[in-house]
Amino acid sequence: MTIATPSRLLAEQQRAFERDGYLCPVPALTPDEVQRHLARYTDYVARNKARLDALAPSQKFQVFSETHFVMPWVHEIVTHPRVLDAVESLLGPNLLAWNTNWFSKMPGEKTFVSWHQDGTYWNLTPPNVVTAWVALTPCDATNGCMRVIPGTHTRPAMPQRETYNPDNALSRGQEIAAKVDESQAVDLRLAPGEMSLHHIWIVHGSNANTGAVPRIGLAIRYVRPEVVQDSPAKPMAILVRGQDKHGNFELLPPPRPRGDGAGDTAAEHAAIVERIRAGILKK
Ligand SMILES: O=C(O)CCC(=O)C(=O)O
């Protein structure tokens, strides 16, 4: 029987993740931390409003991806001990934070995420990759919480096509090109400060926000250092726990205190987004 510290996963939670390909909910941030980060997120969106208003959901990655490399407060979420303890329970003691994405859906927006498998286009092997999806607002079926099809991470990969639907939050509108049995779907309901964890190969997606409450969360992709990406340029990451003896990723330092992804760090942010996307978009 595993002795769990407050934020390490219990043996039965680890088994559930291995069996189902996800775990939900897992406590992460305190109410104070949620409030602080939500204020910063709101401020970041307000400062980028003109840019965002001109972009389709599928193009917003330019603003919402890889902010952990340039914004100290996002790096704070990515290195939060409760988040890392849970991820360490699944991936082991050496952890890299490779990619992050803010997924926000405001009431009335048409933005959705089609059924997809991340493993199809991330080009990462072996699949020692876990996403922590950290909620800053309540997430449920009415405002378009994430949905998963349990157990699909253990089945053969499904065919996927690119639709370029502009309302799809995924940059190429990638969707599974086969019947997904939605009767098996599980809603990942989260309270603010809770997170879900999901496997790189689980079938997942989310509907539009038809409720009255914004749905805002940060998806953080953690990898073990031995993971290799088939990529035109070495992918970037931040070492967040343990050590990296493999050198498969270019390790960047934690962001500077003044970095906010705008102003002095805008060019740096854009270059990192471009580099990470080059690895993801590769066929
Ligand atoms: O937030 C969503 O609805 C989708 C998130 C997602 O696809 C992911 O984190 O891999």
Side-chain angles (χ1 to χ4, degrees):
M1 167 84 184
T2 304
I3 310 283
T5 61
S7 45
R8 270 196 70 84
L9 298 180
L10 298 165
E12 63 249 41
Q13 290 177 299
Q14 294 173 31
R15 279 197 298 273
F17 182 90
E18 278 162 28
R19 184 191 61 226
D20 301 331
Y22 77 97
L23 197 62
C24 178
V26 177
L29 311 181
T30 65
D32 275 2
E33 288 165 341
V34 169
Q35 212 180 3
R36 211 155 34 85
H37 293 315
L38 195 52
R40 286 162 161 167
Y41 174 85
T42 306
D43 179 58
Y44 177 63
V45 171
R47 278 183 299 106
N48 282 280
K49 185 171 179 339
R51 221 159 43 115
L52 286 167
D53 284 351
L55 296 171
S58 58
Q59 298 171 317
K60 291 186 177 169
F61 64 88
Q62 298 165 21
V63 178
F64 287 133
S65 299
E66 323 317 344
T67 53
H68 66 298
F69 287 107
V70 288
M71 295 193 245
W73 65 273
V74 183
H75 180 259
E76 210 181 293
I77 301 175
V78 164
T79 54
H80 195 291
R82 264 191 301 278
V83 177
L84 291 181
D85 283 352
V87 176
E88 179 175 339
S89 308
L90 301 173
L91 288 182
N94 303 313
L95 297 174
L96 302 180
W98 161 60
N99 156 267
T100 57
N101 301 100
W102 286 101
F103 281 100
S104 80
K105 292 191 247 167
M106 294 300 157
E109 280 181 3
K110 289 192 279 177
T111 311
F112 71 101
V113 176
S114 47
W115 293 115
H116 67 286
Q117 289 175 300
D118 297 325
T120 312
Y121 60 103
W122 283 356
N123 309 307
L124 296 168
T125 44
N128 299 124
V129 185
V130 166
T131 294
W133 200 103
V134 182
L136 292 187
T137 60
C139 302
D140 60 23
T142 62
N143 67 356
C145 66
M146 237 181 69
R147 310 176 78 206
V148 296
I149 312 285
T152 41
H153 63 303
T154 60
R155 300 185 201 144
M158 298 180 80
Q160 204 155 279
R161 65 180 162 228
E162 298 169 1
T163 67
Y164 291 93
N165 181 334
D167 290 327
N168 194 330
L170 302 179
S171 58
R172 288 175 288 169
Q174 49 272 49
E175 69 176 22
I176 288 177
K179 174 127 184 63
V180 172
D181 183 0
E182 297 203 15
S183 70
Q184 301 300 308
V186 172
D187 289 332
L188 302 190
R189 292 189 200 90
L190 295 169
E194 290 180 337
M195 63 180 169
S196 57
L197 299 166
H198 69 265
H199 189 279
I200 181 173
W201 279 103
I202 195 164
V203 172
H204 63 292
S206 65
N207 294 325
N209 183 346
T210 55
V213 175
R215 191 213 75 150
I216 300 169
L218 178 67
I220 313 166
R221 318 334 178 143
Y222 295 99
V223 303
R224 280 165 65 144
E226 60 265 44
V227 168
V228 176
Q229 187 180 46
D230 180 8
S231 166
K234 202 171 193 178
M236 295 157 152
I238 298 180
L239 179 66
V240 290
R241 206 163 251 190
Q243 45 185 323
D244 176 359
K245 292 186 176 163
H246 295 267
N248 296 332
F249 291 76
E250 179 182 335
L251 300 185
L252 298 194
R256 291 173 286 130
R258 286 187 58 250
D260 61 1
D264 64 335
T265 51
E268 188 186 336
H269 184 206
I272 294 170
V273 169
E274 192 56 35
R275 173 99 158 254
I276 301 253
R277 266 179 72 73
I280 290 176
L281 290 179
K282 185 185 162 296
K283 296 265 182 178

